[in-house]
Amino acid sequence: MAKKDDILKASENLFAESGYEAVTLRQISTLAGVPLSLVHYYFSSKQSLYEEVLKRYSNEINSDRIARLSALQSLPKMDTHKLLSKCVEAYVEAYTERRIESGSEAWCNYSHMVAEISLSPKWLSQSLQYLGPSETALFQSICKVFPESDEVELYWACFFVSGITALAFAETGRIDKFSNNKCNSTDLKTNIKYMIPFLVAGIQELAEKPIRELPLYKVPPIEVTKATDTKNIILDAAENVFAQYGYYASTMRKIMKTANTNLSLAYYHFKNKNDIFIAVHARRAKQSEALRLQMFEELQDKDPFDEDYLEHVIRAYIEVPFSYTVNSGENWRNYIQLLAITAHTPLWNVAASCYNTVVNNLTRALGRRSATTDDSYMWCCLYVMGALFCSLAQSKHFENLSDGKCKSSLAGESYKRIRPFLTAGCKRILSGDLA
């Protein structure tokens, strides 16, 4: 069994680093130091091996989360806020305690795999099987805290909790980059110090207050036309291939086959696959970032302590990508899927430069509202990104988990809830109220 464990450990490292599609059984056998035939002896296929890795961690954390949440029922009666805080703590700390106490990369690797299956449509049944039990237990616990609230809104609250924890626990180094190393993605103790009250505030907002219908800002539509120049034909094809297979499993040959263009033309326009990957992000960023920056500029003369300031900040960051997701064509949706998945991996650092300006504007805008001198606004920024990326991925995971009540595949429905959820979370943290 020691050899089987070596295979599983090698698998989790490779799957976390490169994603399912890019990993081969031969790579796993080489890293594990065992013959390829032994991998086939223990596992019938790459997918069965992938699921075995998921199962060994999911079973443990699901059992613990369910036990912790069930134990809350025997506690003496307490006020709504305190009980909700304990529910969120039970859900979050079941993971962070394991990650901190073990000191190994194993749980971080698991969190990368969680992000992959929760955001990709092709892993829908697996996400329900391996993530669903914990999420259902959290939902049921929140329902007991808010017995009079609309179940639909409570499912949405759990959806955002899932998205925020997926990004925040992936330890991609993202917050390290945009905070200029003031914050560290591996500092889980500081992370949850802010995350738990942020999530509690967001859940309470959806549970206790009616949803306000606010239309999306009207943004000029991206003209959806078939590319005619070779360079953009290649970029359209690359967008499709990267979204379908992920970065590591995509090849120049695959991209050019999709583009129906000669491979030599790819190398005429681009140095390598990495160059194409950055160009895909740069092209879409150029289309959308100018509008977002304009919205942030309009906030500069606004009093950061006005009642509606934070809502305007959130809208400035999320409005344009939501609008384009709702109103644009298949290529834009491929890009959004690629963006959502890439954001949860260290690969994000390759594309991050395309988005630096708008992220810097978000951190500055949140920092203006902060009533403290710490870096809490940087963590708020990370949580805003987590909720945005899970929403834009338009996964049907929560839609199926909720028997169709939470229309997580519809960006317009998500937009109505993400705005108040994030605004409430930011207000709580930036006021210095971490109780």
Side-chain angles (χ1 to χ4, degrees), residues 329-360:
E330 189 64 30
N331 280 345
W332 180 266
R333 284 189 285 274
N334 283 337
Y335 160 68
I336 289 297
Q337 181 70 24
L338 171 63
L339 182 65
I341 294 172
T342 303
H344 292 74
T345 71
L347 183 63
W348 175 257
N349 294 323
V350 176
S353 60
C354 302
Y355 306 97
N356 282 348
T357 305
V358 75
V359 171
N360 290 340

Side-chain angles (χ1 to χ4, degrees), residues 7 16 60 121 139 164 177 206 246 257 329 397:
I7 293 168
E60 180 181 338
F139 167 75
I164 289 169
K177 289 280 187 183
L206 294 190
K257 184 177 179 181
H397 171 70

Side-chain angles (χ1 to χ4, degrees), residues 134-273:
S134 284
E135 293 162 340
T136 299
L138 177 63
F139 167 75
Q140 291 170 344
S141 297
I142 293 174
C143 283
K144 289 172 183 172
V145 179
F146 300 102
E148 305 300 319
S149 296
D150 187 341
E151 282 192 0
V152 173
E153 305 312 327
L154 300 185
Y155 268 119
W156 277 107
C158 291
F159 173 63
F160 297 132
V161 169
S162 176
I164 289 169
T165 53
L167 181 62
F169 292 157
E171 300 180 34
T172 61
R174 186 179 181 82
I175 193 171
D176 312 52
K177 289 280 187 183
F178 68 71
S179 71
N180 291 321
N181 293 315
K182 293 177 183 175
C183 304
N184 190 319
S185 59
T186 64
D187 183 4
L188 292 182
K189 289 182 180 178
T190 300
N191 187 348
I192 64 171
K193 179 177 78 171
Y194 297 121
M195 180 196 287
I196 290 172
F198 186 101
L199 297 177
V200 167
I203 294 167
Q204 279 189 279
E205 184 73 14
L206 294 190
E208 296 178 341
K209 296 182 183 178
I211 298 299
R212 287 188 301 132
E213 295 277 355
L214 285 177
L216 284 163
Y217 285 144
K218 289 185 179 179
V219 298
I222 291 177
E223 189 178 354
V224 183
T225 58
K226 191 171 182 179
T228 55
D229 63 292
T230 304
K231 187 173 183 178
N232 278 300
I233 288 172
I234 294 170
L235 289 176
D236 283 350
E239 207 163 54
N240 184 309
V241 172
F242 285 138
Q244 184 176 356
Y245 298 103
Y247 175 83
Y248 292 104
S250 299
T251 63
M252 294 288 274
R253 197 170 294 281
K254 256 182 199 172
I255 292 168
M256 299 315 292
K257 184 177 179 181
T258 304
N260 196 25
T261 306
N262 193 291
L263 185 62
S264 61
L265 285 173
Y267 289 105
Y268 174 78
H269 290 286
F270 305 100
K271 296 176 186 175
N272 49 37
K273 182 177 71 171

Side-chain angles (χ1 to χ4, degrees), residues 276-286 335 338-339 342 348 351 354-355:
I276 295 181
F277 184 76
I278 294 171
V280 166
H281 282 277
R283 180 176 66 158
R284 294 302 184 197
K286 185 178 179 181
Y335 160 68
L338 171 63
L339 182 65
T342 303
W348 175 257
C354 302
Y355 306 97

Side-chain angles (χ1 to χ4, degrees), residues 61 65 92-99 107-108 111 169:
I61 198 166
R65 280 172 166 165
V92 167
E93 291 176 357
Y95 171 82
T96 57
E97 286 177 10
R98 281 170 169 74
R99 174 69 177 104
W107 282 100
C108 184
S111 72
F169 292 157

Side-chain angles (χ1 to χ4, degrees), residues 28 40 68 78 84 104 116 133 148 221 239 306 326 375-376 386:
I28 292 169
H40 286 293
R68 290 180 186 225
M78 61 187 74
L84 178 60
S104 75
E116 181 173 36
E148 305 300 319
E239 207 163 54
D306 278 357
V326 170
D375 298 315
S376 57

